[in-house]
C-alpha cells in the first residue's frame, strides 16, 4: 500500500470512529441514582459534549450547579470527576443506560466508599394533577434537639403545583435543594450535587402538620414533624438557633490571632502587613463540608467587591487527616471556585477548638468571624444558608454586607489612639437581634 493510500485509510478510520462516537453521544439529561445504605437517591445528571470533550453537571435546585473538574470517555466507559468533592462517577455505556459505581465521602464511619450507580436517558414523567397536591409552600419549623444545642430546624418549601423544592436549614447550613413531586399522598424529594445525598418523604397530616422522613447521609432515624412557626410558638416549642448568637468569643476586647501555612507551606500570620488596618473575615471551614462549598461561592463575590475597599478574607481550613499530605481536594476546591482570598491549612477538624481558642461554642462548619480594623471580633455568624434556603440566604447576604460596610466605615486604628478602642458597629451591639427578620 502506498503512503497516500495508507493516509487515506487512516483518515477513514478516524472519521469512522468520530462518527460512531458522535452517534453514541452521551449529551443530554439523564435520570441518575445511586444506592446508599439500601436507599436509592435519585438525582439529575446532565452531560454535554463537544467533539470528544465531555462535561458532567449536577444540580442544586434551580440556582446552582456543580460541574466536573475532569471527565473522559474511553469507548464504552465514562468517568466523571468532581475532585473538589472527591466524588467520581464511573460507568459503562450501554445504549441509553449507564451502569457502574459512584465513589465518594458520604458516611461518618467511612472515608471514601463505592456505591452502585445507574442512569437512563431522561423522559418527562406525567406528574400528578396540580389540584391533587395540597399547598405546603412557605416556612415550617421542625422541633429537633441536636448535639450542637439546637432545639429546632427550619423547613423551607417552594411549590409549583405538584412539583416542589425544599431545604432543611440547621444552624450550620442546609441540605441543599430537595426537589421532587407529589404522588400517592406524599412528596418524594431528593438531593445530590456531589455531596449531601438525601431522600425525604413529606406527608401532609390532617392536623395541618407535615411528617418528614429522611434517608441518606447523617439523617435522624425517627420521623420528624414540621409545624408552621405560629403553631410551634403556640405549642411552646423552642425557636431555631440565632445564627449570630450561637457562637461567641471569650473576650470581646481580645485581638483575634492566627498563624498557619498556606497551600505552599508559607506561614501567614494575622500580624502580617496585608491585614493591618483591614477588616477581616476569618472563616472556619473545611473542603469536606458541603455548606463550606456553598459559602465559598459567596466569599469569592465578596472578595471581588470589597478587596480594594479594605476587606481581607482568610479561610482557616481544617482538612481530614487523609488529605493532609496531598491536599488534593483543597487544591481542586481553590481552583474550581476561583478562590483568590487567603486560604490556610489550620489542621484537622478535631483540632478546631485548640487552633481557634478565642471562640466559644464553636461547633458549626462553616463559622464566619467578622474582625474589625482593631483586630477584635465583632460578630460570629454560624453556618451558611445557601440559595436553596430562599429568603434566609437573602437575609444572610444583607447582614453580611451591612456588617462589612459598617466595619469598613470605621476609622483606622491609628486614629483611635485617644481611647484605645474601636466603636462597635451598629450591627453588633448587644441589643441587636440579627434573627428578627428571618
Amino acid at each position: 500500500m502506498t503512503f497516500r493510500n495508507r493516509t487515506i485509510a487512516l483518515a477513514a478510520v478516524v472519521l469512522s470512529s468520530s462518527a460512531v462516537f458522535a452517534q453514541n453521544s452521551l449529551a443530554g439529561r439523564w435520570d441518575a441514582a445511586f444506592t446508599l445504605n439500601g436507599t436509592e437517591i435519585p438525582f439529575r445528571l446532565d452531560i454535554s459534549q463537544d467533539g470528544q470533550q465531555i462535561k458532567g453537571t449536577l444540580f442544586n435546585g434551580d440556582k446552582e450547579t456543580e460541574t466536573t473538574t475532569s471527565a473522559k470517555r474511553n469507548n464504552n466507559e465514562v468517568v466523571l470527576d468532581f475532585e473538589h468533592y472527591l466524588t467520581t462517577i464511573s460507568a459503562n455505556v450501554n445504549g441509553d443506560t449507564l451502569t457502574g459505581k459512584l465513589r465518594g465521602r458520604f458516611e461518618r464511619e467511612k472515608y471514601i466508599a463505592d456505591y452502585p450507580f445507574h442512569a437512563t436517558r431522561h423522559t418527562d414523567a406525567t406528574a400528578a394533577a396540580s389540584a391533587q397536591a395540597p399547598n405546603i409552600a412557605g416556612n415550617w419549623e421542625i422541633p429537633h434537639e441536636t448535639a450542637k444545642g439546637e432545639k429546632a430546624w427550619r423547613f423551607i418549601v417552594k411549590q409549583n403545583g405538584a412539583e416542589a423544592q425544599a431545604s432543611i436549614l440547621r444552624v450550620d447550613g442546609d441540605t441543599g435543594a430537595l426537589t421532587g413531586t407529589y404522588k400517592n399522598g406524599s412528596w418524594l424529594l431528593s438531593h445530590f450535587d456531589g455531596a449531601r445525598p438525601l431522600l425525604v418523604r413529606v406527608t401532609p397530616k390532617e392536623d395541618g402538620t407535615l411528617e418528614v422522613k429522611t434517608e441518606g447521609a447523617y439523617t435522624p432515624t425517627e420521623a420528624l414533624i414540621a409545624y408552621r412557626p405560629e403553631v410551634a410558638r403556640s405549642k411552646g416549642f423552642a425557636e431555631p438557633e440565632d445564627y449570630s448568637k450561637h457562637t461567641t468569643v471569650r473576650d470581646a476586647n481580645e485581638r483575634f490571632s492566627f498563624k498557619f501555612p498556606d497551600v505552599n507551606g508559607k506561614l501567614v500570620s494575622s500580624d502580617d502587613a496585608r491585614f493591618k488596618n483591614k477588616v477581616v473575615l476569618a472563616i472556619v471551614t473545611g473542603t469536606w463540608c458541603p455548606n463550606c462549598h456553598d459559602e465559598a461561592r459567596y466569599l469569592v463575590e465578596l472578595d471581588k467587591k470589597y478587596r480594594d475597599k479594605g476587606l481581607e478574607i482568610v479561610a482557616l481550613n481544617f482538612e481530614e487527616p487523609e488529605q493532609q499530605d496531598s491536599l488534593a481536594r483543597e487544591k481542586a476546591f481553590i481552583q474550581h471556585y476561583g478562590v483568590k482570598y487567603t486560604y490556610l491549612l489550620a489542621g484537622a477538624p478535631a483540632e478546631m477548638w485548640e487552633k481557634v481558642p478565642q471562640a466559644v461554642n464553636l461547633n458549626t462548619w462553616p463559622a464566619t468571624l467578622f474582625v474589625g480594623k482593631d483586630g477584635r471580633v465583632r460578630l460570629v455568624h454560624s453556618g451558611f444558608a445557601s440559595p436553596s434556603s430562599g429568603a434566609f440566604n437573602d437575609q444572610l447576604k444583607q447582614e453580611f454586607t451591612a456588617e462589612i460596610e459598617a466595619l469598613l466605615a470605621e476609622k483606622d486604628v491609628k486614629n483611635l489612639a485617644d481611647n484605645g478602642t474601636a466603636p462597635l458597629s451598629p450591627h453588633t451591639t448587644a441589643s441587636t437581634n440579627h434573627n428578627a427578620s428571618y
Side-chain angles (χ1 to χ4, degrees):
M1 182 181 292
T2 65
F3 176 79
R4 180 174 180 274
N5 289 339
R6 286 198 300 271
T7 302
I8 293 174
L10 179 60
V13 170
V14 171
L15 290 172
S16 176
S17 299
S18 298
V20 170
F21 193 91
Q23 184 179 2
N24 297 319
S25 172
L26 298 177
R29 178 174 174 178
W30 296 77
D31 294 327
F34 78 100
T35 303
L36 173 64
N37 293 330
T39 298
E40 186 170 88
I41 311 289
F43 62 97
R44 176 179 173 179
L45 169 64
D46 281 14
I47 299 178
S48 58
Q49 184 172 324
D50 182 9
Q52 296 194 16
Q53 301 297 315
I54 62 173
K55 179 176 73 173
T57 301
L58 301 175
F59 289 79
N60 184 17
D62 54 8
K63 291 188 176 181
E64 292 187 321
T65 60
E66 291 288 356
T67 57
T68 47
T69 52
S70 65
K72 61 183 179 181
R73 179 180 178 181
N74 183 15
N75 296 323
N76 289 327
E77 295 181 346
V78 61
V79 178
L80 307 175
D81 274 323
F82 301 84
E83 294 163 293
H84 55 302
Y85 272 128
L86 294 184
T87 295
T88 301
I89 297 173
S90 304
N92 293 320
V93 182
N94 184 8
D96 290 337
T97 301
L98 305 177
T99 306
K101 63 184 180 182
L102 192 151
R103 184 174 177 82
R105 170 78 163 91
F106 310 127
E107 300 177 84
R108 186 174 286 108
E109 66 276 11
K110 297 179 182 178
Y111 174 56
I112 298 288
D114 294 335
Y115 304 88
F117 163 86
H118 67 87
T120 56
R121 292 281 185 182
H122 173 71
T123 56
D124 290 322
T126 302
S130 299
Q132 297 177 346
N135 180 21
I136 65 169
N139 296 334
W140 302 76
E141 292 181 8
I142 300 174
H144 185 65
E145 296 190 13
T146 73
K148 296 181 186 297
E150 297 170 276
K151 302 296 183 182
W153 291 339
R154 290 185 170 87
F155 185 49
I156 305 110
V157 184
K158 292 194 302 181
Q159 182 179 344
N160 181 17
E163 297 181 349
Q165 176 175 303
S167 72
I168 298 172
L169 177 58
R170 310 169 308 270
V171 70
D172 50 1
D174 58 50
T175 57
L178 298 154
T179 59
T181 59
Y182 179 79
K183 187 177 181 181
N184 298 328
S186 296
W187 302 83
L188 192 63
L189 311 175
S190 63
H191 172 87
F192 182 68
D193 62 352
R196 295 179 284 199
L198 185 62
L199 184 72
V200 178
R201 185 178 298 275
V202 181
T203 305
K205 310 302 286 186
E206 290 185 0
D207 62 358
T209 63
L210 302 177
E211 182 184 71
V212 181
K213 292 183 177 180
T214 61
E215 297 180 74
Y218 314 114
T219 58
T221 55
E222 73 277 13
L224 305 173
I225 302 297
Y227 300 84
R228 291 296 188 184
E230 61 274 14
V231 177
R233 296 293 80 74
S234 70
K235 290 183 174 294
F237 292 125
E239 296 184 41
E241 283 287 279
D242 185 328
Y243 308 109
S244 64
K245 295 180 179 179
H246 180 78
T247 299
T248 57
V249 291
R250 63 190 180 190
D251 182 354
N253 291 314
E254 182 181 9
R255 291 178 61 86
F256 183 74
S257 61
F258 57 86
K259 186 176 183 180
F260 302 114
D262 63 16
V263 71
N264 298 313
K266 180 182 177 181
L267 280 177
V268 176
S269 167
S270 51
D271 293 327
D272 291 350
R274 76 175 84 173
F275 301 113
K276 185 177 181 180
N277 281 330
K278 297 289 185 69
V279 174
V280 176
L281 257 61
I283 318 299
V284 176
T285 187
T287 63
W288 50 269
C289 155
N291 300 120
C292 301
H293 285 246
D294 293 334
E295 187 181 34
R297 296 174 183 268
Y298 180 52
L299 294 176
V300 168
E301 295 177 13
L302 291 178
D303 186 44
K304 291 178 181 178
K305 182 177 180 179
Y306 291 109
R307 178 191 287 259
D308 292 340
K309 298 178 181 179
L311 177 70
E312 285 288 335
I313 300 176
V314 55
L316 309 181
N317 181 39
F318 291 87
E319 284 295 326
E320 295 162 318
E322 295 88 346
Q323 279 292 302
Q324 293 286 330
D325 291 335
S326 70
L327 298 179
R329 184 173 52 207
E330 179 180 333
K331 294 174 182 177
F333 178 101
I334 292 171
Q335 180 177 358
H336 185 74
Y337 295 118
V339 172
K340 303 297 183 185
Y341 52 85
T342 303
Y343 213 88
L344 307 180
L345 182 62
E351 299 175 299
M352 175 181 66
W353 299 277
E354 172 192 346
K355 299 295 183 67
V356 191
Q358 289 144 299
V360 177
N361 198 39
L362 177 62
N363 56 17
T364 67
W365 304 90
T368 304
L369 288 76
F370 292 75
V371 183
K373 296 176 183 178
D374 61 350
R376 293 189 299 152
V377 177
R378 308 301 185 80
L379 170 71
V380 182
H381 187 99
S382 300
F384 186 82
S386 79
S388 303
S389 291
F392 295 97
N393 174 256
D394 296 335
Q395 181 67 27
L396 178 147
K397 289 182 175 180
Q398 291 171 11
E399 292 185 353
F400 273 42
T401 298
E403 192 68 36
I404 290 169
E405 293 183 352
L407 291 175
L408 288 173
E410 291 181 356
K411 295 179 181 179
D412 289 351
V413 176
K414 62 184 178 182
N415 295 325
L416 298 172
D418 291 342
N419 57 21
T421 61
L424 291 176
S425 80
H427 301 280
T428 53
T429 60
S431 61
T432 299
N433 181 1
H434 291 263
N435 209 31
S437 59
Y438 269 59

